[in-house]
Amino acid sequence: METKSNAWKANAKKNVLHLGYWTGSWVTTMAIASFGQIYLWKDNTALTILFIAINTLVGIGMILMNRKYINDLDEMQRKVSLDAMAIALGVGVVGGLSYSMLDQANVIAFDAEIAHLVMLIGITYMIAIFVGNNRYK
């Protein structure tokens, strides 16, 4: 029984590391695609398209690794993760659409930016994971 537990822990650690590598690679390629055209290659559309394509492919790899990570969790961890994702998705859709409508109606003095929505979803997900883990301890 102890060997099975150790093997599961080793696999979980490996999955977390792989997910971290994929996420870090995605963030890096996102930064290169976003800022490369400003600081590295001035207005070279071909390079911009290339790095956006690379970013998209790395993003697909990250999604697949995230799916593998979730599938390899135990039932309680999977429930916490899926609950957190459901809350983050709901906050993202409802909050994002409300935010966009505020911008369209000129209620807010600035433009609604996708980066704000991404931060809202990320923060919501982290809080929901924290609350979910504490609830089941």
Side-chain angles (χ1 to χ4, degrees), residues 92-129:
V93 170
V94 173
L97 291 173
S98 298
Y99 187 47
S100 176
M101 287 187 291
L102 289 170
D103 182 28
Q104 289 175 357
N106 291 320
V107 174
I108 55 177
F110 50 89
D111 290 333
E113 298 287 338
I114 191 70
H116 301 150
L117 183 59
V118 171
M119 288 187 293
L120 175 66
I121 292 169
I123 291 167
T124 301
Y125 178 74
M126 287 188 296
I127 291 170
I129 288 287

Side-chain angles (χ1 to χ4, degrees), residues 40-134:
L40 300 175
W41 59 85
K42 300 291 185 198
D43 301 321
N44 185 332
T45 306
L47 277 176
T48 300
I49 291 170
L50 174 67
F51 277 96
I52 290 172
I54 291 169
N55 175 255
T56 301
L57 292 173
V58 173
I60 290 168
M62 180 185 68
I63 291 167
L64 294 173
M65 188 61 224
N66 195 38
R67 182 175 179 269
K68 179 178 177 10
Y69 167 76
I70 298 258
N71 284 335
D72 287 350
L73 293 174
D74 65 25
E75 289 180 29
M76 194 240 359
Q77 291 172 321
R78 191 176 301 130
K79 177 170 178 24
V80 168
S81 293
L82 291 176
D83 287 349
M85 286 181 201
I87 292 167
L89 173 64
V91 167
V93 170
V94 173
L97 291 173
S98 298
Y99 187 47
S100 176
M101 287 187 291
L102 289 170
D103 182 28
Q104 289 175 357
N106 291 320
V107 174
I108 55 177
F110 50 89
D111 290 333
E113 298 287 338
I114 191 70
H116 301 150
L117 183 59
V118 171
M119 288 187 293
L120 175 66
I121 292 169
I123 291 167
T124 301
Y125 178 74
M126 287 188 296
I127 291 170
I129 288 287
F130 179 76
V131 169
N133 281 332
N134 284 333

